[in-house]
């Protein structure tokens, strides 16, 4: 199932519902039509807290909706063009971001060296980085950092460009949503399930990132600014994703696809369930927690040394999960001097 939060006719009232083909219907409407009611489907929060019973009830209504469509009775439905989408999980209890794509770490590391260092240091550091990352891929580990879960953006939102960065970037990731947990009565181990998947965009300020990551404490200017985590457009249940490690990814940026990148979730070095099992051995993540698996290699500016400009349209597509479309501001406040080379191309976009 593809679950969404949406409104109709620019109403501020959010509805919780499902997408079937190109049609959208709210669970509230389906419950009235079928005379099957449950408070677990009031919104995404009650759905996540009510798992697994909420999913069973939602699936019953989903099958009922398919019957209505098969009978050509589309009166209770809207089309995707008639609605306004919101982030499917606007208030996650936590967002944890892993770095489980070694190719991205290598690509981005080389770009960082190009911008952060000068002269003879560059080739030396490239060799050191290559050796270090090869060892990292051989000795598997799962480091992660905590994102700003209080500043979620959704489909068709305009991102924030902080005045202290000249190198704003996107990071397309497979987002894994935590479901319910159960305690094994024999081992007392906690088993945490996958509730579903989302597209995640971990927006980053690249030219201030290196100092942030050398001292991992407090808010990070490179990650914690407003609307720094994009989620959407759908919350997709696991039955719709046969293999989360074989999904094609594409990114289109700018008018006329000024930049176009392709990648795959096959570059992740472990399955999402193994990541959740690792976390649940430390603590029990609450339902709705979003796990970012890591940036898809080749699909961000840092990997390619290519950068956003004001007015860009960003479209991140992951097979089976839809397309997260967001906008880059068309005008900028006067930017502070960059730690990297100042971008002359941005001056044309300063507010008069």
């Amino acid at each position: 199932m593809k679950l969404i939060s949406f409104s109709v006719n620019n109403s501020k009232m959010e509805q919780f519902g499902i997408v079937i083909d190109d049609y959208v219907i709210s669970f509230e409407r389906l419950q009235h039509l079928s005379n099957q009611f449950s408070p677990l489907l009031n919104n995404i929060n009650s759905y996540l807290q009510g798992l697994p019973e909420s999913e069973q009830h939602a699936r019953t209504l989903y099958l009922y909706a398919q019957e209505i469509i098969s009978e050509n009775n589309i009166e209770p439905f809207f089309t995707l063009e008639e609605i306004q989408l919101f982030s499917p999980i606007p208030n996650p209890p936590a967002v944890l971001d892993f770095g489980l794509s070694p190719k991205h770490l290598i690509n981005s590391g080389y770009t960082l060296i190009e911008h952060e260092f000068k002269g003879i240091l560059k080739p030396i550091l490239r060799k050191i980085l290559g050796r270090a990352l090869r060892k990292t891929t051989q000795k598997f580990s799962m480091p992660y950092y905590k994102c700003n879960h209080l500043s979620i953006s959704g489909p068709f939102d305009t991102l924030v460009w902080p005045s202290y960065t000249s190198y704003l970037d996107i990071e397309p990731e497979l987002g894994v949503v935590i479901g319910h947990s159960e305690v094994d009565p024999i081992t007392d181990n906690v088993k945490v399930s996958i509730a579903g998947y989302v597209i995640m965009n971990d927006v980053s300020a690249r030219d201030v990132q290196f100092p942030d990551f050398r001292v991992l404490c407090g808010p990070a200017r490179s990650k914690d600014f407003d609307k720094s985590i994009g989620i959407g457009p759908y919350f997709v249940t696991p039955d719709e994703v046969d293999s989360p490690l074989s999904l094609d990814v594409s990114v289109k940026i700018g008018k006329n696809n000024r930049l176009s990148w392709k990648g795959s979730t096959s570059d992740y070095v472990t399955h999402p369930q193994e990541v959740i099992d690792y976390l649940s051995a430390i603590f029990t993540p609450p339902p709705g927690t979003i796990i970012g698996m890591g940036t898809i290699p080749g699909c961000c500016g840092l990997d390619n040394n290519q950068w956003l400009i004001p007015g860009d349209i960003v479209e991140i597509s992951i097979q089976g999960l839809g397309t997260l479309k967001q906008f880059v501001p068309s005008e900028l406040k006067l930017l502070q001097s960059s730690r990297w080379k100042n971008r002359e191309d941005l001056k044309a976009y300063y507010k008069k």
Side-chain angles (χ1 to χ4, degrees):
M1 297 182 292
K2 291 183 174 68
L3 309 185
I4 60 170
S5 295
F6 69 101
S7 69
V8 182
N9 298 326
N10 294 313
S11 168
K12 294 183 179 180
M13 182 181 297
E14 286 194 31
Q15 302 184 52
F16 181 47
I18 52 174
V19 176
I20 302 177
D21 299 325
D22 292 324
Y23 296 110
V24 171
I25 189 167
S26 70
F27 283 119
E28 182 182 18
R29 182 73 171 131
L30 277 174
Q31 288 180 105
H32 279 94
L33 290 171
S34 64
N35 202 30
Q36 302 178 65
F37 297 93
S38 171
L40 299 179
L41 298 182
N42 287 345
N43 51 51
I44 187 62
N45 291 329
S46 59
Y47 173 89
L48 291 167
Q49 293 296 328
L51 290 168
E53 291 82 2
S54 56
E55 182 181 3
Q56 295 166 0
H57 190 56
R59 198 164 298 282
T60 299
L61 294 176
Y62 174 76
L63 295 174
Y64 176 75
Q66 287 183 314
E67 290 180 12
I68 296 176
I69 292 177
S70 67
E71 295 169 359
N72 292 319
N73 179 13
I74 62 171
E75 180 273 330
F77 293 83
F78 298 100
T79 64
L80 285 168
E81 289 73 25
E82 294 174 314
I83 67 167
Q84 294 80 48
L85 282 167
F86 301 108
S87 171
I89 306 177
N91 301 298
V95 180
L96 308 178
D97 199 17
F98 285 74
L100 299 172
S101 46
K103 287 183 181 178
H104 161 66
L105 298 178
I106 292 172
N107 294 339
S108 62
Y110 288 149
T111 304
L112 277 173
I113 289 172
E114 286 299 312
H115 287 277
E116 291 286 349
F117 300 97
K118 297 179 180 179
I120 192 65
L121 272 177
K122 285 186 179 182
I124 295 173
L125 289 173
R126 286 176 67 90
K127 288 183 180 179
I128 293 173
L129 176 69
R131 292 195 193 106
L133 289 173
R134 279 192 289 273
K135 289 180 180 178
T136 299
T137 59
Q138 293 167 1
K139 187 178 180 181
F140 179 61
S141 62
M142 290 202 218
Y144 66 89
Y145 65 89
K146 297 176 182 178
C147 304
N148 184 359
H149 69 289
L150 301 176
S151 190
I152 302 296
S153 64
F156 304 103
D157 276 350
T158 298
L159 304 176
V160 170
W161 191 310
S163 61
Y164 53 76
T165 181
S166 294
Y167 292 81
L168 192 70
D169 196 8
I170 62 167
E171 291 192 42
E173 305 188 28
L174 176 64
V176 185
V177 183
I178 295 292
H180 67 287
S181 59
E182 296 179 349
V183 178
D184 189 309
I186 299 176
T187 64
D188 280 339
N189 292 334
V190 177
K191 184 67 175 179
V192 179
S193 67
I194 296 175
Y197 299 95
V198 293
I199 297 174
M200 175 171 156
N201 179 18
D202 180 23
V203 188
S204 302
R206 296 302 194 184
D207 47 347
V208 297
Q209 190 170 18
F210 191 64
D212 278 351
F213 278 23
R214 284 187 299 175
V215 184
L216 290 175
C217 62
R221 294 201 305 164
S222 63
K223 294 289 185 179
D224 290 332
F225 50 88
D226 291 339
K227 295 186 179 180
S228 56
I229 299 294
I231 301 294
Y234 311 132
F235 169 86
V236 181
T237 52
D239 59 291
E240 298 246 341
V241 182
D242 291 334
S243 174
L245 298 186
S246 62
L247 305 177
D248 293 331
V249 180
S250 67
V251 177
K252 297 178 181 178
I253 294 177
K255 297 171 184 176
N256 301 317
N257 299 333
R258 181 176 65 85
L259 302 175
S260 181
W261 305 320
K262 292 187 180 297
S264 172
T265 60
S266 62
D267 286 306
Y268 291 138
V269 294
T270 190
H271 192 279
Q273 187 62 58
E274 292 181 43
V275 180
I276 293 175
D277 292 344
Y278 167 79
L279 277 179
S280 58
I282 304 170
F283 71 103
T284 303
T289 297
I290 300 175
I291 308 299
M293 293 285 288
T295 307
I296 304 294
C299 288
C300 72
L302 193 61
D303 277 25
N304 297 283
N305 204 8
Q306 297 174 314
W307 305 102
L308 298 175
I309 60 173
D312 270 342
I313 300 170
V314 176
E315 294 181 284
I316 300 171
S317 301
I318 298 183
Q319 183 181 352
L321 305 186
T323 298
L324 176 59
K325 185 175 183 178
Q326 298 186 302
F327 303 98
V328 179
S330 57
E331 292 184 316
L332 301 176
K333 296 179 181 178
L334 182 64
L335 298 181
Q336 299 172 21
S337 181
S338 176
R339 292 183 63 258
W340 295 357
K341 182 180 179 181
N342 287 324
R343 291 179 59 186
E344 296 297 322
D345 61 324
L346 295 182
K347 291 183 178 179
Y349 299 97
Y350 288 171
K351 290 182 180 179
K352 304 299 184 184

